Amino acid sequence: MKVNFTAKSWIGVPPWILIGAVLILLPIFSYMTFETIHRQRERSLHLLREKGAALIRSFEAGTRTGMMGRMGDFQLQRLLMETALQPDIVHLIVTDAEGTVLASSDPMQIGKPYGTDLDLKPLLQEKTLQWRMIRTPQGESVCEVYRRFTPTETADRFHRNRMRPDRPPPIPMFPEPDIPKDRIIFIGLDTTPVEEAMKMDMRHTLIMGVVLLMIGITGVLLLFLVQGYRSAKQSLSRIKVFSDTLVENMPLGVVALDTNHSLVMHNPAARVLFGWEPGDTTERRLPPSLLDLLGDPELETAPIVRTLECRMAAGEPIPIEVAAAKLVDETGESLGHVMLVKDLREVESLRKALARSRRLAAIGSLAAGVAHEIRNPLSSIKGFATYFQQRYQDNPEDNELATLMVQEVDRLNRVVTQLIEFSRPIALVLQPCRPEDIAKRAVSLVERQAAEKSIHIELESAEGIPSIGVDPDRMNQVFLNLLLNAMEAMPSGGTISIGIHADEKNRQAVFTIRDTGEGIAPDQLGRIFDPYFTTKSTGTGLGLAIVHQIVEAHHGSIRVSSEPGAGTTVAVAVPLEASPAWSGQSEAEAA
């Protein structure tokens, strides 16, 4: 598997958004387009009707002006024919109430019926312009307007509007012509130019509608794209913050290298592991053992995991686990490598501690079995030694040998008792105790012996230390053992200082025992709590092991620091409050 880095990020639009935008905008723009076309058609027809009305008024005006008194059907015929010469006029027809053509732009139609498909009589009652769409025999579309032909009505109204109340009506200059009022005029207007203009307008409107529709769809898509871009940008920002926080707080060391194996990124855990100072501006290089991994052929096809020892610039080599992977972009070109580095020192320490615990558990089980088997023969040996001691009490040499035998048997019994006690879970009877009282009790037991060896014991306790929940007998055993060890380390005398204080941060009471003795060698310091390890010729090696066991049963801790020739310091820490889960016994016993 390879780690890919994408150079570009495209924001896709789901198909349903595009379909939804079309479904919403298409009806709207279709309605607007056809409504615009309809209005344009209505305006064009309205212009034709207005033109027809203007022509009718022109005929009526011509009748009232230059032809007053001399108007006849012949002159009207000539006027119609001359007017019909205009290119956009198809025909001009004047009929009577029965539909008989009286005058026409086409003289061949005079005397023929026209407009018989219409109800002409209502037209004679009112002066309302009517219109209709017809087709000529040649198939041409014609807009025909028609109404009652009244050349004198407008003139009368003209004179009436000119009259004033304080003046007499004017005398007309010409006598009113004798023109029948039951005539109807038809004007046929050619719609071809209008239709061509309408077709052009329609094409223009359709094109504009399509363009506006595309602009609308594009606008909707742009809105979604902008919103998607903003959402993606916010998501990327959150992801970046999350990834940066994750890398910065990751307990593993993270390093990234370019194609030249130069360091381009690292997190605080890597700085701590490799000993890099935060403000150091010098070029930082990985240890050679890590750089050698980059030449592994397996790294070209998949990530690799290796466990190795890494030697830093200063100090001993440390065990680490490295996971390395190659970084490539979407084209497969290499961008460098990334490494996850884990410090295995703690793991190795826990592994060693686990192996040691298993070894000690096996030793303890073996010791317990051996102790049970030894006790019965020891009882018999002690009985025989006591018998010989009483029988040969008159013989000093035999009596001394028998007494020595009894003492050695007692020493073996103590060792067996310690073995049995060490192999069993420790039972605790917790009681509230003052830390100072526990220390004073242990001091009182060794005070006389310390005075005989010229050893001075000092006890200093801080004020206000609360009571602790401990087993007083077991804790007395702990401090008595530590004091006896300190006294044995000072054969020429010295000082033992006991300090007591409260660790508020960890909620613990801390006992510190310092001596001015010979100290412990560094190679022996890590083994002092191992069973049967001792530097004394008469020791059993179980005293400090039992001390460690008792302190752990109290959920406490014990630490030892020492320098050869400068003395030893032992710090015992126990919780200030007893845990209710103990219930007066150790966890091992409860299990």
Side-chain angles (χ1 to χ4, degrees):
M1 182 184 294
K2 296 182 180 180
V3 181
N4 292 327
F5 278 83
T6 302
K8 296 181 180 179
S9 176
W10 295 97
I11 303 175
V13 178
W16 63 267
I17 295 180
L18 180 61
I19 296 173
V22 172
L23 292 178
I24 293 174
L25 296 177
L26 182 59
I28 296 175
F29 283 101
S30 298
Y31 172 78
M32 294 174 60
T33 301
F34 288 109
E35 184 66 20
T36 302
I37 293 174
H38 177 71
R39 287 198 300 268
Q40 290 175 350
R41 178 180 176 82
E42 289 297 324
R43 284 197 298 267
S44 299
L45 293 176
H46 179 72
L47 290 175
L48 288 176
R49 293 195 296 270
E50 289 294 327
K51 183 176 182 179
L55 287 173
I56 294 174
R57 289 194 295 270
S58 297
F59 284 121
E60 292 176 343
T63 304
R64 287 194 302 272
T65 55
M67 309 181 87
M68 286 290 186
R70 298 178 288 107
M71 183 67 179
D73 291 338
F74 179 72
Q75 284 79 7
L76 181 60
Q77 174 66 27
R78 288 184 59 188
L79 181 61
L80 294 179
M81 292 176 64
E82 291 179 0
T83 306
L85 295 176
Q86 299 183 17
D88 55 344
I89 297 178
V90 178
H91 61 261
L92 296 171
I93 301 174
V94 177
T95 67
D96 57 11
E98 302 298 331
T100 302
V101 177
L102 301 178
S104 174
S105 58
D106 184 5
M108 301 298 295
Q109 289 186 345
I110 297 176
K112 296 180 179 180
Y114 187 83
T116 55
D117 55 334
L118 301 173
D119 189 4
L120 300 179
K121 290 184 179 181
L123 296 176
L124 301 175
Q125 305 301 323
E126 58 183 9
K127 193 177 180 181
T128 303
L129 185 70
Q130 303 290 334
W131 70 279
R132 63 177 180 172
M133 297 297 296
I134 61 174
R135 286 195 174 275
T136 63
Q138 292 78 20
E140 298 177 352
S141 177
V142 176
C143 178
E144 187 177 63
V145 295
Y146 54 92
R147 70 171 173 83
R148 183 166 60 116
F149 187 59
T150 56
T152 59
E153 182 177 346
T154 305
D156 293 342
R157 184 166 60 249
F158 174 79
H159 289 297
R160 286 196 298 270
N161 291 338
R162 293 282 184 163
M163 291 178 60
R164 295 178 58 181
D166 56 343
R167 293 183 182 181
I171 300 174
M173 296 177 61
F174 303 99
E176 195 172 287
D178 185 13
I179 298 175
K181 299 182 179 181
D182 55 353
R183 295 185 180 186
I184 300 172
I185 184 169
F186 295 87
I187 299 179
L189 300 174
D190 187 7
T191 60
T192 301
V194 176
E195 289 181 351
E196 291 179 354
M198 288 178 60
K199 289 180 181 179
M200 293 180 63
D201 292 341
M202 185 180 299
R203 285 195 297 270
H204 177 74
T205 303
L206 289 175
I207 293 173
M208 291 301 298
V210 172
V211 171
L212 291 176
L213 176 62
M214 297 303 296
I215 292 175
I217 295 175
T218 304
V220 172
L221 295 181
L222 285 176
L223 289 177
F224 279 98
L225 286 174
V226 171
Q227 182 62 30
Y229 172 77
R230 293 182 60 187
S231 300
K233 186 176 180 181
Q234 293 176 357
S235 300
L236 288 175
S237 299
R238 289 193 295 267
I239 292 173
K240 185 178 183 301
V241 171
F242 173 77
S243 60
D244 291 345
T245 304
L246 181 64
V247 171
E248 287 294 317
N249 296 282
M250 186 179 294
L252 302 179
V254 181
V255 293
L257 302 98
D258 59 15
T259 54
N260 296 323
H261 298 172
S262 297
L263 193 66
V264 295
M265 189 277 293
H266 58 276
N267 66 342
R271 290 197 296 268
V272 173
L273 179 62
F274 296 118
W276 296 332
E277 296 296 332
D280 189 6
T281 58
T282 60
E283 184 180 1
R284 295 167 176 173
R285 302 286 295 180
L286 292 176
S289 56
L290 288 181
L291 295 177
D292 292 342
L293 287 179
L294 303 181
D296 195 321
E298 296 183 11
L299 190 58
E300 296 295 325
T301 57
I304 61 173
V305 179
R306 297 287 186 271
T307 301
L308 47 87
E309 283 192 348
C310 181
R311 183 176 295 275
M312 303 303 169
E316 298 180 356
I318 61 174
I320 60 173
E321 184 180 64
V322 183
K326 188 177 181 180
L327 303 178
V328 298
D329 58 14
E330 71 278 1
T331 62
E333 183 179 355
S334 177
L335 299 177
H337 297 83
V338 62
M339 288 185 177
L340 299 181
V341 186
K342 181 179 181 181
D343 189 354
L344 297 181
R345 283 179 292 186
E346 184 177 356
V347 176
E348 289 295 327
S349 176
L350 293 175
R351 189 177 300 166
K352 291 179 181 179
L354 179 60
R356 176 175 172 271
S357 298
R358 289 176 177 175
R359 184 172 63 254
L360 293 178
I363 294 173
S365 299
L366 178 62
V370 172
H372 283 289
E373 296 296 329
I374 290 177
R375 260 192 169 178
N376 291 331
L378 284 179
S379 298
S380 299
I381 294 173
K382 184 177 181 181
F384 285 118
T386 304
Y387 170 74
F388 286 120
Q389 184 182 27
Q390 294 176 356
R391 183 174 179 176
Y392 298 105
Q393 59 182 349
D394 295 334
N395 189 343
E397 185 177 352
D398 293 339
N399 185 271
E400 184 179 354
L401 291 175
T403 302
L404 180 61
M405 186 180 298
V406 171
Q407 292 176 353
E408 291 300 318
V409 169
D410 289 338
R411 191 170 70 86
L412 287 175
N413 271 325
R414 287 196 300 272
V415 173
V416 170
T417 301
Q418 288 180 339
L419 282 173
I420 294 174
E421 183 179 1
F422 180 73
S423 62
R424 290 177 179 175
I426 295 179
L428 300 178
V429 181
L430 302 180
Q431 299 177 10
C433 302
R434 295 178 59 205
E436 187 177 1
D437 293 342
I438 297 174
K440 285 181 177 179
R441 180 182 176 187
V443 170
S444 64
L445 295 176
V446 299
E447 196 169 20
R448 181 177 178 182
Q449 186 177 354
E452 293 176 354
K453 293 184 176 183
S454 301
I455 296 175
H456 177 63
I457 300 177
E458 298 177 350
L459 175 61
E460 182 179 355
S461 177
E463 296 182 358
I465 302 177
S467 299
I468 56 177
V470 296
D471 187 326
D473 292 333
R474 293 290 187 180
M475 291 303 296
N476 183 67
Q477 183 180 355
V478 168
F479 291 113
L480 183 60
N481 199 314
L482 295 176
L483 289 174
L484 290 175
N485 285 346
M487 292 168 59
E488 291 179 2
M490 295 184 295
S492 302
T495 302
I496 298 176
S497 301
I498 303 175
I500 307 173
H501 71 277
D503 184 356
E504 295 294 342
K505 180 179 180 180
N506 298 314
R507 301 295 298 161
Q508 290 178 330
V510 181
F511 299 83
T512 305
I513 302 173
R514 297 184 180 90
D515 63 56
T516 58
E518 298 173 350
I520 304 173
D523 58 339
Q524 298 176 349
L525 190 61
R527 301 178 57 193
I528 59 175
F529 295 116
D530 292 350
Y532 309 111
F533 176 79
T534 181
T535 58
K536 297 180 291 186
S537 59
T538 59
T540 61
L542 289 175
L544 288 179
I546 294 175
V547 166
H548 188 270
Q549 194 176 24
I550 293 173
V551 173
E552 283 192 338
H554 282 84
H555 295 268
S557 63
I558 181 169
R559 297 185 302 275
V560 179
S561 60
S562 179
E563 292 183 10
T568 302
T569 301
V570 180
V572 178
V574 293
L576 287 175
E577 297 92 3
S579 173
W582 294 346
S583 301
Q585 59 183 357
S586 67
E587 291 181 352
E589 185 179 4

